[in-house]
Amino acid sequence: MMPRPTPANDIRPRFVVAVTAVRWLSEGTFEIRLERPVGFKFLPGQKISFVDGALRRDYTLLGPVDAPELALCVRHVPDGLFSPRLSRARIGDRFQITAPFGYFTLKTSGRPAVFVATGTGIAPFVAFANAGARGFDLLHGVRTPAELYYRDLLFTAARRYIPCVSAAAGDGEIGPEGFAGRVDRFLSTQYPDGAYDFFLCGRIQMIRDVTRLIDARFSGSRVFIEAYD
Amino acid sequence: MKIYTQTGDQGKTSLFSGERVVKSDARIHAYGDIDELNSVVGALIAALLPDSEAAEGQLKEIQSDLFQVGAWLAATSGSEAQARLNSITIGYSQRIESWIDGMDAQLPELKSFILPGGHPTAAWAHIARTVCRRAERAVILLAEQEAAAGRSFEGFAPIVAFINRLSDYFFVLARWLNQHAGMGDVQWQG
Ligand SMILES: Cc1cc2nc3c(=O)[nH]c(=O)nc-3n(C[C@H](O)[C@H](O)[C@H](O)COP(=O)(O)OP(=O)(O)OC[C@H]3O[C@@H](n4cnc5c(N)ncnc54)[C@H](O)[C@@H]3O)c2cc1C
């Protein structure tokens, strides 16, 4: 296994912060905002952990990096231990978070950048776009068009914004750029051969499928991954 | 987070700098050997006798440094990903030198060849020393490949110095551990 440059003994500073806003983006996903601790600096693509005793859950910061509050986009996992607690949070509720960390940041090269997300795996790409990234191709895999959150921002920033909607949807709903099917099927059937910088974020199954595809079809590409489960 | 990603089942793996490479790549050998060395150091720490706090503290710092070295080796030279990591400086090997000197001052002068063994803790230190030597060979091979490909050798120099000094450290530590266990060196009767 590749060594991960994060020590196992977590000595990151922690902060207790209050919730400042909760806004539902779709039936199952919400954006939550938190107070920003003094001196809290992060790079687009970094995440924080919520810590409660032995329980730890990571969430990616949406940015912008200089915004007065911290913003996260969270899927409510119905039987989950922690995300339902976040989804019920009221303004003023306090949570313990860690300082930001992680290496899933934008690295540029001469190759075109292709961002691939499933669900709330879109979060680091929102952070990249908020930090001024432009000209990338973005595939957002969701079940229904209602889950295409941050569409306007991403549509403007991307060279190609491709919603990949797996549950049956009418063409009108997914737009002319949209694709009815999963991200890996779009890549294998529609995407031109070549060497790219792939950034994959979200469910491990997607990361697995797309990485296999990259090895088979897009050799010479670089792959950066952030797995949510 | 799942430990198994299954993205390596076809014999490839991702470098920290994003490239997909075959697992027989020189870079994978290099950081794999560093990882193995770190595991041996972990076994050594677990075996330490009471009253070895100083050695334990040093070994834990070494584990953390080795982790850092492994991450650095897992990214291609000059990549943006590598630039984000703390660089390994000559200070790493200098610190090891001071630890060597500290232990050496407590040991009798070395008058003959010694065999790798004695107390189990010293035996672990000798395994660490020899795995460290292998890691050194792997890192140098990688550095040569990088140089041949026209990439900078610069970042490797402090790493090679650190690993080289580390094997001396494990040699002296093995002697110290034998003495600490009341056994003395195992001398070669050749
Ligand atoms: C580096 C990293 C960054 C992350 N960033 C985000 C983020 O920005 N937004 C976010 O919503 N989640 C993110 N996650 C996932 C998050 O940390 C939690 O795993 C998730 O909220 C479930 O926690 P839970 O306690 O509610 O569920 P648990 O009781 O832990 O149950 C876990 C179950 O939820 C599933 N699950 C995990 N994440 C998701 C998800 N996003 N959508 C649907 N099912 C999921 C798992 O497969 C598992 O079956 C991230 C995870 C990692 C490792």
Side-chain angles (χ1 to χ4, degrees):
Chain A
M1 199 174 91
M2 190 178 93
R4 284 166 203 276
T6 309
N9 286 338
D10 187 0
I11 46 162
R12 271 175 226 123
R14 296 186 182 174
F15 308 92
V16 175
V17 292
V19 172
T20 57
V22 179
R23 175 170 74 98
W24 286 85
L25 303 171
S26 72
E27 205 180 308
T29 306
F30 57 96
E31 186 182 292
I32 184 164
R33 288 175 181 267
L34 307 164
E35 288 171 333
R36 180 176 187 143
V38 178
F40 189 102
K41 287 206 176 78
F42 64 97
L43 295 170
Q46 286 193 310
K47 60 227 170 193
I48 55 173
S49 296
F50 283 74
V51 184
D52 181 10
L55 190 79
R56 285 185 68 115
R57 291 291 183 270
D58 298 346
Y59 297 94
T60 310
L61 295 157
L62 296 168
V65 289
D66 52 2
E69 295 173 328
L70 303 177
L72 309 163
C73 146
V74 180
R75 156 96 52 176
H76 173 257
V77 178
D79 298 324
L81 279 175
F82 187 70
S83 58
R85 259 167 66 189
L86 269 187
S87 74
R88 286 191 302 268
R90 300 282 182 84
I91 291 171
D93 284 359
R94 296 182 160 272
F95 290 93
Q96 184 175 220
I97 61 168
T98 65
F101 62 100
Y103 292 86
F104 192 73
T105 53
L106 185 56
K107 292 134 196 126
T108 49
S109 72
R111 286 172 286 245
V114 185
F115 302 160
V116 186
T118 51
T120 53
I122 201 70
F125 306 131
V126 173
F128 293 174
N130 272 330
R134 295 291 180 267
F136 51 84
D137 284 2
L138 172 79
L139 283 71
H140 190 187
V142 292
R143 263 179 36 79
T144 69
E147 294 163 14
L148 294 169
Y149 12 85
Y150 307 107
R151 185 176 187 153
D152 293 345
L153 167 74
L154 296 166
F155 183 82
T156 312
R159 187 182 74 100
R160 282 183 79 186
Y161 168 77
I162 306 144
C164 297
V165 182
S166 56
D171 281 352
E173 279 183 287
I174 57 176
E177 286 265 287
F179 177 76
R182 292 180 354 180
V183 290
D184 56 311
R185 204 161 65 78
F186 178 86
L187 283 172
S188 66
T189 60
Q190 315 270 316
Y191 210 68
D193 289 343
Y196 303 92
D197 283 345
F198 284 99
F199 291 77
L200 317 179
C201 183
R203 305 308 298 271
I204 189 71
Q205 187 61 51
M206 176 278 282
I207 289 171
R208 225 170 253 160
D209 295 344
V210 173
T211 305
R212 282 200 189 119
L213 189 63
I214 292 167
D215 284 345
R217 268 227 27 220
F218 305 104
S219 69
S221 294
R222 299 197 302 176
V223 188
F224 300 95
I225 65 173
E226 182 86 299
Y228 275 9
D229 56 341
Chain B
M1 193 168 69
K2 281 207 173 54
I3 288 298
Y4 55 93
T5 60
Q6 297 179 355
T7 57
D9 292 356
Q10 272 78 34
K12 281 193 173 184
T13 190
S14 294
L15 295 179
F16 185 52
S17 46
E19 298 85 354
R20 299 282 294 165
V21 296
V22 289
K23 290 184 183 177
S24 54
D25 191 273
R27 190 171 288 284
I28 315 298
H29 275 292
Y31 73 64
D33 285 355
I34 295 290
D35 190 23
E36 182 181 346
L37 173 58
N38 215 345
S39 307
V40 174
V41 176
L44 170 54
I45 293 172
L48 286 175
L49 292 173
D51 299 324
S52 313
E53 286 77 14
E56 182 174 350
Q58 291 169 2
L59 290 167
K60 285 184 171 163
E61 287 191 47
I62 287 169
Q63 282 204 302
S64 170
D65 289 353
L66 285 172
F67 202 85
Q68 190 69 32
V69 168
W72 194 91
L73 290 170
T76 46
S77 305
S79 61
E80 245 179 284
Q82 196 180 61
R84 288 254 353 259
L85 297 168
N86 293 336
S87 51
I88 287 103
T89 63
I90 205 68
Y92 283 57
S93 52
Q94 284 165 348
R95 189 162 56 149
I96 303 289
E97 282 166 17
S98 73
W99 293 342
I100 293 176
D101 294 344
M103 283 189 292
D104 230 4
Q106 304 171 39
L107 291 168
E109 200 188 329
L110 193 60
K111 293 222 173 73
S112 67
F113 288 115
I114 61 169
L115 294 176
H119 188 265
T121 53
W124 275 118
H126 279 294
I127 295 173
R129 175 179 61 81
T130 50
V131 173
C132 189
R133 285 287 179 218
R134 169 149 48 81
E136 183 183 11
R137 293 191 292 273
V139 171
I140 288 172
L141 188 72
L142 173 64
E144 283 171 355
Q145 283 190 9
E146 292 287 282
R151 287 188 283 266
S152 157
F153 178 84
E154 216 174 290
F156 280 94
I159 291 184
V160 172
F162 172 63
I163 301 172
N164 186 20
R165 209 64 77 256
L166 210 47
S167 49
D168 295 334
Y169 169 86
F170 289 124
F171 180 82
V172 178
L173 178 66
R175 292 191 69 215
W176 186 89
L177 290 167
N178 268 335
Q179 176 171 283
H180 185 63
M183 298 185 64
D185 295 323
V186 184
Q187 295 191 348
W188 183 52
Q189 310 289 352

